[in-house]
Amino acid sequence: MDGTTIKTNSMIVRGNYTGLREGTYITEGATTTFTPSTPFMIGEQISVTLTTEVQSSAGTSLVSSYSWEFSIQSRSGTGVFDDRTAFGTGLYPQNIVTSDFDNDGNLDIAGSNDRENSASILMGVGDGSFEERVDYAAGSGSSGISASDLNGDGNPDLVITNRSDNTISILLGNGDGTFAVKADYPVGEDPTAAYAADFNGDGHIDIAVSAFESDSISVLLGSADGMFSTITDYLAGDGPGDITGTDLDGDGNIDLIVTNRWSNTISLFIGIGNGSFAAKFDYDTGSRPSSVIATDIDGDTISDLVIANSSGGEQPASEEVIVTLAAGSGTIAGQLTVEYQ
C-alpha cells in the first residue's frame, strides 16, 4: 500500500457523537494507524471509508470504496442506575439521540416532539444534568431523529422524520449547540425513522428513510454541503418502521435492515456500493417487530441483528427479543428468541 495516498480525503473517519475527525495517519506496510487529534468519546460509533484514491505500492487504485464501523468500548459498570431525573421537552416527545453538539466533550440530547413539530435540544453539563431545552422548528408530526455530520464540517447535524407532511427536516449544526433553520425534503408516505451513512463511498453522508404507509424506503444521496438531490424509493414489507444499516456481507458496502410491523418480517437491502441497493429479501420475526439494532453478538466479527417484537396489547402476547445471527454473506444463519416481561 502506498502510504502517501492515505490522507483525510481518502481515509474518512467519522464519529456519531463528534462528526468528521481529523488526525494523523501512519502507514507501515499494509497497516495504517489513524490517531484522532482529540479522543473519541466512550461508546461512540465510528465509521471509516476508504475511497478509490487509496493506491497500492504499484500505483493501483481501489476498484471501489470500502467502509466499516466499530464502537469505542465503554467503561465497565455495575448495571445499576440512580433514581430518574426528569427534564422538560416539547409535547408528545417521540425519539431522542445523543451527540456532542457544542464540542465541549459532554454529551447533549436532541428529541423530536410530535405535537409541536419541533426538536428540543438539551445541552449536557457534564455531570449527568442538562440545561433547559431550546426548541427548533421541524416538519409536521416530528417522529424519528438521528444525528450525523452531513456537511463534513465536523459538527453533528440532525435528521428528523415528519410523519404528517411526508418529509424529513435537515438541521445543520453550527458547532456551538445551535442549529440553522431547517431544510425539508420529500420522502415516502408516513416516514418513521432515518439512518445516515455513506452509501456510495464519495465521502458524503447519505440518508435512508422508512415510510410506513407507502411500504417503502427512500434513499437520499448527499453532497458536500449537506444538501440532497437524488431520491430513490425501494419496496419494503408491510408497514416498515425502524431502519438501520451495517455491512452484512463483508463487501465494504453499507446494507440496510428495516422492520415491517404488519408482515412480521425484516427486509434486507444489500448495498451495491454506488448508492443503490438490490431488491429486498425478507426474514420472519416475531409479532409486530418495532426496532432493530446491528451489533456483533457472538464475537465472530460479523454484524448480527437484534429485533424487538411486541403484540401491541393484543393476545396472545409476543413481548420478546429475537437475536438474528448473520452468516457474513448477507444471509441469516439462525435465530434465538428471548422473552421479556
Side-chain angles (χ1 to χ4, degrees):
M1 183 166 55
D2 182 358
T4 63
T5 65
I6 303 293
K7 45 193 174 183
T8 55
N9 63 341
S10 62
M11 182 176 179
I12 302 167
V13 183
R14 285 186 173 89
N16 69 319
Y17 294 157
T18 53
L20 188 68
R21 303 306 305 273
E22 296 181 349
T24 58
Y25 301 81
I26 299 177
T27 300
E28 297 181 354
T31 302
T32 295
T33 301
F34 171 78
T35 303
S37 54
T38 56
F40 294 116
M41 301 185 73
I42 292 173
E44 187 167 12
Q45 186 79 13
I46 309 301
S47 65
V48 183
T49 299
L50 298 180
T51 72
T52 53
E53 294 187 21
V54 175
Q55 296 181 355
S56 69
S57 56
T60 303
S61 299
L62 281 178
V63 175
S64 61
S65 63
Y66 192 90
S67 300
W68 70 97
E69 297 180 340
F70 61 92
S71 297
I72 303 300
Q73 184 175 5
S74 299
R75 296 190 183 99
S76 298
T78 62
V80 178
F81 294 86
D82 294 334
D83 293 338
R84 70 181 180 91
T85 302
F87 297 91
T89 65
L91 288 175
Y92 284 74
Q94 296 296 299
N95 292 281
I96 62 171
V97 66
T98 57
S99 192
D100 184 8
F101 297 128
D102 57 356
N103 296 303
D104 66 352
N106 302 322
L107 282 180
D108 311 307
I109 297 175
S112 57
N113 305 308
D114 180 288
R115 294 296 177 86
E116 291 188 353
N117 306 325
S118 66
S120 294
I121 310 299
L122 291 80
M123 306 308 300
V125 177
D127 59 0
S129 64
F130 295 84
E131 298 176 1
E132 186 174 350
R133 81 180 200 268
V134 176
D135 293 343
Y136 290 84
S140 179
S142 304
S143 178
I145 187 169
S146 63
S148 188
D149 180 11
L150 301 176
N151 59 354
D153 64 355
N155 303 318
D157 310 305
L158 293 176
V159 182
I160 303 168
T161 62
N162 305 306
R163 302 189 69 168
S164 299
D165 62 14
N166 304 326
T167 65
I168 59 170
S169 294
I170 304 299
L171 282 72
L172 297 180
N174 296 319
D176 58 1
T178 64
F179 292 84
V181 175
K182 70 182 177 74
D184 293 341
Y185 294 87
V187 291
E189 188 177 355
D190 193 6
T192 305
Y195 170 76
D198 184 2
F199 302 146
N200 58 359
D202 65 353
H204 310 313
I205 293 296
D206 312 303
I207 300 173
V209 182
S210 57
F212 189 82
E213 290 295 334
S214 56
D215 296 335
S216 65
I217 64 170
S218 297
V219 175
L220 298 83
L221 298 183
S223 57
D225 55 5
M227 300 183 67
F228 298 84
S229 55
T230 303
I231 301 177
T232 305
D233 292 336
Y234 297 85
L235 182 66
D238 190 359
D242 198 17
I243 185 169
T244 191
T246 190
D247 181 12
L248 290 172
D249 56 359
D251 65 353
N253 302 321
I254 296 295
D255 310 307
L256 298 174
I257 307 98
V258 183
T259 60
N260 302 306
R261 181 175 178 84
W262 302 130
S263 54
N264 300 326
T265 60
I266 55 171
S267 292
L268 272 57
F269 299 85
I270 299 301
I272 307 301
N274 60 1
S276 65
F277 294 83
K280 72 178 177 74
F281 53 97
D282 295 340
Y283 287 91
D284 292 337
T285 65
S287 176
R288 297 190 179 184
S290 57
S291 63
V292 58
I293 61 171
T295 188
D296 182 10
I297 292 293
D298 53 1
D300 63 355
T301 72
I302 299 172
S303 290
D304 308 303
L305 305 176
V306 183
I307 304 147
N309 306 291
S310 174
S311 63
E314 296 181 356
Q315 297 296 328
S318 175
E319 278 74 31
E320 61 190 15
V321 170
I322 289 184
V323 178
T324 301
L325 302 180
S329 57
T331 60
I332 300 302
Q335 291 185 338
L336 171 67
T337 300
V338 181
E339 295 184 355
Y340 61 92
Q341 300 294 324

